[in-house]
Amino acid sequence: MRVSFPYMGSTIVYGKLLELLGHQVVMPEPPTRKTVDLGVKYSPEFACFPFKVIMGTYLETLERGVELFVTTGGQGPCRAGFYGELHKKIIQNMGYDVDFIVLDPPWRDYEKFFRQILTLKGDNSWFKVAEVIHTVYKMCKSVDIIEKLITTVRAYAGDRAALNRSWRDILTAYSQIETARDVARVEEEALRVIEKYDIKLPPQEKRIRIGIVGEIYVVMEPSINGNIEEILNSLGAETERSLYLSTYIDETIFPWIGRKEKKKLIKKASGYIDLNIGGHARLSVGQIVDFKDRGFDGVIHLKPFACLPELISESMLEKLSADLDMPILSLSIDEQTAEANIMTRLDAFVDFIKYGKAYSKERVSLSV
Amino acid sequence: MKIGIPRSLLYYYYYPFWQTLFAELGNEVVVSDPTSGDQLNEGVKESVSEICVPMKVHIGQVLNLLEKGVDLIYIPRFVSIRRGITFCPKFLGLPDMIKNSIAAVRGKILTHEIRAKTDDISAYKNYTIFRDIFRVSKGELKKALEAARQNWLKFRALQQEGYKTEKLLLGEKEKREEGLLKIGVLGYVYNLYDRFINMDFLDRLEELGAKIVTFEMLDGDIVDRFIKNLRKPMFWEFTNRLMAAGYHFINSADIDGIIHITAFGCGPDSILGPFLEIDAGQKNKPFMTLRIDEQTGESHLITRIEAFLDLLKLKKRSDIA
């Protein structure tokens, strides 16, 4: 069966998972302006932006003969948990003959969950399934390590374009792995490639580090958030996100692995948001505090327009910024977002931080 | 003590409960003034720009209560009133949002979590913090809760008999008008009964000869049974209720048309809307969505209602002929 899935983050992970299980995978392409327009046309006006983009990629991949979409459902109370059902309703109403597997948390309906897993498992042995999951998980961890390294050194790279090309090559190499041993090989190779650029990090006090928090889709997907990390890097700031692929997988598939980290963040968010209100809102707030504690210079908060949970965290950014004495910039992303707008605001934000840094140093030196 | 209750959000569903509860505990209950332009503008200033208009109204109401000099403002955190189903994230984070965005209100918020199995929210376990705050014994609190429950049940029964919610909340009794056309109106209580933000939408419908049916007028069993039978219910309590009512209207022969009134940027409704719209279309039931926010123009609203009702009248005539 020809299988596809929503485009999100490093799609190589989902692609790899299904491919290693022997399915015929139709890889969704990164969303373009055309994808977005297509998605917007067939989505409810007030559905959030990720819904529309995913709709667009579904419709594009449908042209390439997809018979089954695999996606995840959820528990709510964020809207994303209902995407699968609504996409299905709209796409089937448009007259397409396509099946959906919406993976909900097993406790909602054990029998259904088991049936779905059996469909995906196909003729593979359980041992093979475990091996595949192990390999893909390793790959995620490894991709994340390299990505964090890239978004740090890119801020000081002389030839950024070349470094970006190398990064793309590295991702291609990852997409061709087959075993856990391949992962280790590709990682070593990647580290060697980056080392060749011979980038020296400036002394600690001169580095500008910016954390990025917010709604998972816009935080993780560069083609949606206007390549925000690359822009910040080009302005001379290092970046780190609150969410990487492996954090997401830890959360949804292996919740016990990330539990300690999560507890820490929940504690840091207390007094601001005291209950899980859906999405990552509570953790976003915890992350903001955490970035400050780790000495970051500023935080960018990203959300799709009218995102339910992140609106609550946005409402307290002013207070957070004052309490923590750290600049925070909140950006809403949707189909109307203009690149020039994001550019200008990021430019001003980084300038502001640079100025603040220089000024506070002056203040210190004056007082001495 | 003077307890302030904002005239917004679930005030339109639980006020009779709250009013009795706080009065029984020996407090003076102060309700904020009905929504007005100035009050809403104040609310908008203190809100995140993208949030839905009911939340902006709520913030305006809280500011209004501060001006009235109340001791505490009651902002409960509604978590769940049905197993496995919660409220919209904005309700879940409501006290957090208010507390962290309005400096003047800190220390004046009375909040606690409400978790219940049904929309009867009188279980003692939710209210234990009241004992210290109002210095009452367990027995007294339980008695007050029971009185509040009785009053609220009476209110719910009257709603189902077809009395106007907006009048009942003011202590008056008036039946919904009869009319030529029977219109199913879908909307959250805080959008339906806030006359300012919906510009007297219900009265206008009635003036134009419509008999209105809303979700809280339906028998509770219809709603409960529907939600129980859903393979995957929505995550949000009142959205599910609207969905139940919506499908009930779609399948009722005596309903002439359905109007879904929703706030700009309402997340749950953006998911609910397409389901109802697609299925109403398939069943050939006229369906219209009206969107309201702080900038809605009155004439636009009237024009659309009039046009919709005119079409329904034409349809009815041609159906009979």
Side-chain angles (χ1 to χ4, degrees):
Chain A
M1 209 177 330
R2 292 174 67 82
V3 184
S4 192
F5 46 87
Y7 189 93
M8 183 171 131
S10 303
T11 34
I12 48 173
V13 175
Y14 309 99
K16 204 80 232 172
L17 194 65
L18 291 167
E19 182 198 309
L20 291 180
L21 286 173
H23 296 282
Q24 210 181 334
V25 177
V26 181
M27 270 298 233
E29 298 290 324
T32 58
R33 189 70 238 173
K34 205 177 129 241
T35 320
V36 173
D37 289 344
L38 191 64
V40 166
K41 188 170 168 194
Y42 293 103
S43 303
E45 187 182 356
F46 284 94
C48 41
F49 189 48
F51 181 95
K52 298 177 184 174
V53 180
I54 293 173
M55 187 71 164
T57 54
Y58 277 157
L59 293 173
E60 280 183 347
T61 44
L62 272 173
E63 299 301 319
R64 289 156 59 200
V66 175
E67 292 158 288
L68 174 71
F69 284 116
V70 181
T71 179
T72 48
Q75 276 289 71
C78 163
R79 273 182 278 184
F82 229 82
Y83 279 7
E85 308 290 326
L86 188 54
H87 278 128
K88 184 168 139 189
K89 182 101 191 164
I90 294 176
I91 287 177
Q92 288 178 347
N93 189 54
M94 284 168 72
Y96 285 102
D97 182 23
V98 61
D99 263 335
F100 275 78
I101 286 190
V102 183
L103 289 169
D104 278 316
W107 55 87
R108 278 187 96 102
D109 187 345
Y110 284 102
E111 203 195 311
K112 194 182 108 208
F113 183 74
F114 199 65
R115 254 197 338 264
Q116 291 176 330
I117 292 295
L118 282 183
T119 315
L120 292 178
K121 172 178 163 279
D123 299 329
N124 300 289
S125 68
W126 286 109
F127 178 73
K128 168 86 179 163
V129 174
E131 200 191 338
V132 165
I133 291 180
H134 175 71
T135 308
V136 171
Y137 186 64
K138 269 248 150 91
M139 185 179 85
C140 286
K141 284 277 183 204
S142 175
V143 171
D144 290 350
I145 291 171
I146 302 296
E147 189 171 11
K148 276 189 198 175
L149 185 60
I150 292 273
T151 57
T152 307
V153 298
R154 194 163 51 187
Y156 313 105
D159 189 351
R160 249 187 302 275
L163 183 62
N164 279 336
R165 267 197 304 279
S166 302
W167 171 220
R168 266 198 298 279
D169 292 343
I170 293 170
L171 281 178
T172 315
Y174 272 114
S175 72
Q176 282 154 2
I177 59 119
E178 267 166 23
T179 60
R181 206 168 307 147
D182 291 344
V183 175
R185 180 178 51 77
V186 172
E187 185 176 318
E188 267 171 43
E189 178 62 30
L191 290 173
R192 247 199 317 277
V193 169
I194 297 172
E195 206 159 301
K196 274 204 203 115
Y197 284 88
D198 193 28
I199 299 164
K200 300 247 177 327
L201 295 186
Q204 189 68 29
E205 71 277 4
K206 288 222 169 125
R207 288 166 67 181
I208 293 179
R209 293 189 298 160
I210 295 180
I212 299 175
V213 305
E215 192 272 339
I216 181 163
Y217 189 83
V218 291
V219 166
M220 292 212 336
E221 184 44 57
S223 58
I224 291 306
N225 64 29
N227 254 325
I228 193 164
E229 284 185 278
E230 208 187 314
I231 296 177
L232 285 166
N233 289 157
S234 74
L235 295 167
E238 299 169 31
T239 53
E240 188 178 320
R241 303 196 302 254
S242 57
L243 289 157
Y244 286 86
L245 214 51
S246 55
T247 10
Y248 179 63
I249 292 178
D250 281 350
E251 254 173 44
T252 44
I253 307 180
F254 310 113
W256 57 90
I257 294 179
R259 194 157 20 163
K260 217 174 133 200
E261 176 72 10
K262 208 167 166 179
K263 246 190 181 150
K264 186 186 89 188
L265 293 177
I266 286 174
K267 209 169 149 209
K268 293 195 176 190
S270 78
Y272 295 104
I273 297 183
D274 296 324
L275 186 82
N276 175 21
I277 61 167
H280 287 91
R282 189 187 195 183
L283 299 178
S284 292
V285 171
Q287 283 283 2
I288 293 175
V289 179
D290 190 53
F291 276 129
K292 173 69 189 180
D293 292 348
R294 287 168 50 206
F296 274 61
D297 301 292
V299 166
I300 291 176
H301 175 255
L302 292 179
K303 68 167 198 311
F305 177 81
C307 170
L308 300 173
E310 293 296 344
L311 266 174
I312 301 289
S313 47
E314 192 192 337
S315 74
M316 45 192 74
L317 290 183
E318 219 169 294
K319 180 159 189 292
L320 266 163
S321 178
D323 289 355
L324 300 173
D325 189 22
M326 174 173 71
I328 303 174
L329 173 69
S330 181
L331 295 173
S332 263
I333 311 264
D334 73 356
E335 63 266 28
Q336 322 258 0
T337 308
E339 215 173 300
N341 168 31
I342 294 194
M343 273 295 258
T344 318
R345 297 187 63 189
L346 292 181
D347 205 354
F349 187 66
V350 175
D351 273 354
F352 179 77
I353 290 174
K354 281 182 185 163
Y355 178 78
K357 260 191 131 130
Y359 176 72
S360 74
K361 219 166 101 205
E362 200 172 275
R363 214 166 31 181
V364 173
S365 63
L366 278 178
S367 64
V368 167
Chain B
M1 265 197 277
K2 264 166 105 171
I3 307 288
I5 294 183
R7 196 188 291 265
S8 49
L9 303 181
L10 293 179
Y11 158 88
Y12 298 100
Y13 201 74
Y14 283 121
Y15 177 64
F17 184 91
W18 296 335
Q19 193 246 338
T20 314
L21 175 64
F22 290 116
E24 287 283 316
L25 293 172
N27 300 290
E28 186 189 336
V29 178
V30 180
V31 182
S32 54
D33 297 329
T35 316
S36 68
D38 289 345
Q39 193 198 65
L40 179 56
N41 281 339
E42 292 302 313
V44 169
K45 274 188 216 157
E46 296 287 336
S47 316
V48 190
S49 59
E50 283 162 37
I51 212 156
C52 57
V53 72
M55 286 290 158
K56 291 174 178 166
V57 168
H58 186 72
I59 291 178
Q61 300 280 3
V62 169
L63 294 173
N64 179 254
L65 286 170
L66 281 178
E67 269 171 38
K68 286 179 180 284
V70 296
D71 298 308
L72 287 173
I73 300 175
Y74 186 51
I75 306 177
R77 192 198 295 274
F78 275 89
V79 179
S80 171
I81 54 173
R82 191 185 302 272
R83 209 173 154 252
I85 290 173
T86 63
F87 279 76
C88 161
K90 291 172 196 166
F91 280 88
L92 298 180
L94 185 63
D96 295 329
M97 179 174 75
I98 303 284
K99 175 173 80 182
N100 288 305
S101 56
I102 308 174
V105 88
R106 258 160 247 161
K108 282 197 170 182
I109 296 182
L110 172 57
T111 182
H112 62 115
E113 286 182 12
I114 290 182
R115 295 172 198 264
K117 299 243 158 50
T118 66
D119 56 0
D120 176 358
I121 52 166
S122 64
Y124 169 73
K125 68 172 169 62
N126 284 321
Y127 297 86
T128 46
I129 65 154
F130 279 30
R131 282 184 54 190
D132 286 341
I133 295 168
F134 300 111
R135 292 193 197 84
V136 288
S137 70
K138 189 174 172 180
E140 285 168 318
L141 181 52
K142 279 193 165 171
K143 207 176 123 234
L145 283 167
E146 181 55 29
R149 176 170 171 267
Q150 289 305 336
N151 194 31
W152 177 74
L153 286 174
K154 216 160 66 196
F155 163 74
R156 288 286 290 137
L158 288 171
Q159 278 185 323
Q160 279 160 10
E161 279 168 36
Y163 285 97
K164 291 183 178 178
T165 303
E166 62 272 35
K167 297 282 179 201
L168 289 175
L169 288 168
L170 302 174
E172 296 161 27
K173 269 170 96 174
E174 194 181 308
K175 276 243 178 193
R176 281 249 165 268
E177 273 6 78
E178 290 300 323
L180 227 72
L181 292 165
K182 201 165 168 189
I183 306 285
V185 177
L186 297 171
Y188 301 115
V189 284
Y190 43 83
N191 290 335
L192 286 181
Y193 301 118
D194 189 323
R195 304 178 54 161
F196 182 80
I197 55 170
N198 70 26
M199 284 163 248
D200 270 335
F201 163 74
L202 293 179
D203 284 352
R204 287 183 204 279
L205 269 178
E206 286 185 338
E207 276 164 28
L208 292 167
K211 176 174 171 54
I212 294 167
V213 193
T214 58
F215 82 92
E216 33 358 323
M217 290 163 68
L218 296 179
D219 187 350
D221 279 353
I222 295 178
V223 175
D224 292 342
R225 224 177 310 123
F226 178 86
I227 297 173
K228 228 176 134 191
N229 288 334
L230 277 178
R231 196 182 57 71
K232 182 175 182 181
M234 305 227 166
F235 312 127
W236 318 286
E237 176 63 31
F238 281 94
T239 315
N240 273 316
R241 288 176 190 237
L242 290 194
M243 192 180 203
Y247 278 104
H248 178 74
F249 292 154
I250 289 174
N251 294 318
S252 303
D254 64 331
I255 296 278
D256 294 299
I258 303 171
I259 298 181
H260 181 203
I261 181 161
T262 173
F264 178 92
C266 175
D269 275 0
S270 73
I271 303 289
L272 170 71
F275 278 97
L276 294 176
E277 209 171 315
I278 289 173
D279 286 329
Q282 277 168 2
K283 293 256 170 147
N284 219 1
K285 183 76 75 182
F287 184 93
M288 175 170 76
T289 305
L290 277 181
R291 197 158 276 129
I292 50 170
D293 69 1
E294 64 267 35
Q295 307 180 4
T296 310
E298 199 171 5
S299 46
H300 136 89
L301 198 88
I302 297 171
T303 315
R304 291 197 58 198
I305 299 175
E306 275 178 358
F308 188 67
L309 291 188
D310 281 349
L311 281 173
L312 292 185
K313 279 176 200 156
L314 279 175
K315 181 171 183 285
K316 202 159 193 172
R317 227 171 282 153
S318 67
D319 282 352
I320 294 166

